Amino acid sequence: MNCIIPGQNIKILSKTINALAKIGDEIYLEADLDKLEFTTLNMSKTVCSQSSFLKSFFSSYDIKMNDSADDKTITCKLFMKSLLPLFKGNLEKKLEFLRIEYETESDFVILKMKYKYDQIMMIHKLRLMDSEKLSIGITPNSGMNNLYGSSTLFNQLLMMFNLSDNEITLEIMNSRLVARNYCIGAAPNPKLMRVEVKLSAGEFIKFDVENDTNINFALKPLRTVISFAESLNLHIGINFDSGGKPLTLLMKHPTFSIHFIVSTLNPNRDLQSSMASTSLPLTQIVDNLNISTVVPYESPIINTDDKFSQSPESPRSKRVKLVFSRCYEPTFVEPDLAAQENLGNSDSE
């Protein structure tokens, strides 16, 4: 494999590597005659991210395949921490080109960075991990529901949520979308400010929903996608079926594409199934995706009036009672005179 990325495209590659680094600690490189792919998976196997760079993205793209091999793909795996430091800063202003070299059965991937000034060529040899191919088994457009909007629209939606929010619940109907940072029917959290945002179908570039559904997933990959899309002025697509099946966040360009596959929960079904137990570990097998998700989930106490329960006693008041508890204990103990003996006078008179 011998690929050359021109200086004007290095910014795209750099932002892609930094986006993938927010998901996983290992990165898979797979090359065939048409494209070069970078893939990563988070530790809990709930998020998978994959970027594809077509031949037109490179100024030179040379892939030599072994004719006797059944699999016409070159595969290798790197530690993300060894690759990420090379893509910090504004490299597109410094580099004339970047060359990626890899020989089959080699233990290293070689990155050659040619700087614009002083004729400097920096050579980085990155040691590979054990060879392994990651099989995803799902296509980005496999869902029946499709939303497509500008990165500005999604960024405005994200700004309505707090930085401390970890999950988002979407209620999707054929004419609108409702985004919440809570699940309807779950026990209210006194420390959480409830947020609900309603968007009409007309605010999206494309709003194609066949079945109404509720879907819950993590906010972290969505934040990563929005940040990446805004930096390159790309639109964002959401492809899904229903809660409990994979959801895909995707961005496309004529020369490259990147998508995030995220495992989801069905808030209605999973809340009802967990009411009978005080603590239930929910195990979700994502359909058509080699990802197993184990999500610890505490059963909520359903309040039909949807009112906040009485706030628990603050830790400070408990500490005050503990520190000053002896102040409430009796300090005078009445003596038992009957139990004492009468003694005579000490004087002789």
Side-chain angles (χ1 to χ4, degrees), residues 254-303:
T255 61
F256 71 93
S257 65
I258 180 171
H259 61 268
F260 291 68
I261 301 174
V262 185
S263 63
T264 68
L265 295 176
N266 184 331
N268 296 335
R269 181 192 65 197
D270 294 329
L271 281 176
Q272 293 173 0
S273 63
S274 61
M275 287 173 56
S277 176
T278 58
S279 180
L280 177 65
L282 297 181
T283 303
Q284 170 193 345
I285 305 299
V286 180
D287 295 342
N288 299 323
L289 179 61
N290 296 337
I291 298 178
S292 298
T293 304
V294 180
V295 182
Y297 195 90
E298 293 210 2
S299 170
I301 300 175
I302 304 299
N303 189 345

Side-chain angles (χ1 to χ4, degrees), residues 8-183:
Q8 63 268 26
N9 287 345
I10 292 178
K11 176 182 178 180
I12 298 173
L13 177 63
S14 177
K15 290 188 175 296
T16 300
I17 297 298
N18 280 272
L20 299 184
K22 296 179 181 179
I23 302 300
D25 298 327
E26 302 171 354
I27 186 166
Y28 297 79
L29 278 68
E30 296 187 9
D32 57 25
L33 296 176
D34 300 322
K35 62 185 179 302
L36 173 63
E37 293 183 341
F38 295 86
T39 308
T40 189
L41 187 70
N42 69 343
M43 185 176 297
S44 59
K45 298 182 180 180
T46 57
V47 181
C48 177
S49 179
Q50 185 175 65
S51 60
S52 299
F53 298 93
L54 304 180
K55 289 179 62 175
S56 56
F57 180 83
F58 304 88
S59 58
S60 176
Y61 188 79
D62 183 17
I63 302 296
K64 295 181 180 179
M65 297 292 183
N66 188 353
D67 296 335
S68 62
D70 295 333
D71 189 2
K72 303 300 182 181
T73 304
I74 297 176
T75 305
C76 56
K77 184 169 66 169
L78 291 166
F79 287 109
M80 185 69 77
K81 64 181 180 182
S82 66
L83 184 64
L84 183 61
L86 306 183
F87 292 92
K88 296 295 186 181
N90 298 323
L91 294 180
E92 68 278 5
K93 298 181 179 180
K94 304 175 183 178
L95 299 181
E96 183 178 339
F97 65 83
L98 168 65
R99 185 192 301 270
I100 302 176
E101 298 179 356
Y102 172 68
E103 296 291 338
T104 306
E105 305 300 332
S106 174
D107 294 332
F108 297 91
V109 167
I110 300 176
L111 272 65
K112 295 181 179 180
M113 295 181 171
K114 174 63 172 61
Y115 285 78
K116 296 180 179 180
Y117 311 104
D118 300 328
Q119 300 299 316
I120 297 176
M121 176 76 78
M122 295 289 293
I123 301 176
H124 303 273
K125 296 181 66 175
L126 307 181
R127 182 175 292 276
L128 299 176
M129 303 174 63
D130 293 338
S131 179
E132 183 181 2
K133 185 175 180 179
L134 183 64
S135 177
I136 300 177
I138 186 173
T139 58
N141 298 308
S142 59
M144 65 177 64
N145 300 316
N146 292 276
L147 309 180
Y148 197 63
S150 66
S151 57
T152 302
L153 173 64
F154 284 99
N155 186 54
Q156 292 174 348
L157 171 64
L158 187 64
M159 290 175 62
M160 299 297 178
F161 293 86
N162 301 317
L163 293 177
S164 58
D165 293 336
N166 297 321
E167 298 178 351
I168 184 172
T169 299
L170 301 181
E171 183 181 354
I172 301 102
M173 292 154 279
N174 58 1
S175 60
R176 66 172 182 169
L177 177 148
V178 181
R180 303 183 179 92
N181 65 342
Y182 64 96
C183 296

Side-chain angles (χ1 to χ4, degrees), residues 327-345:
C327 296
Y328 301 99
E329 296 179 359
T331 57
F332 175 77
V333 179
E334 184 177 358
D336 187 1
L337 299 179
Q340 297 183 359
E341 295 183 359
N342 295 328
L343 301 177
N345 297 330

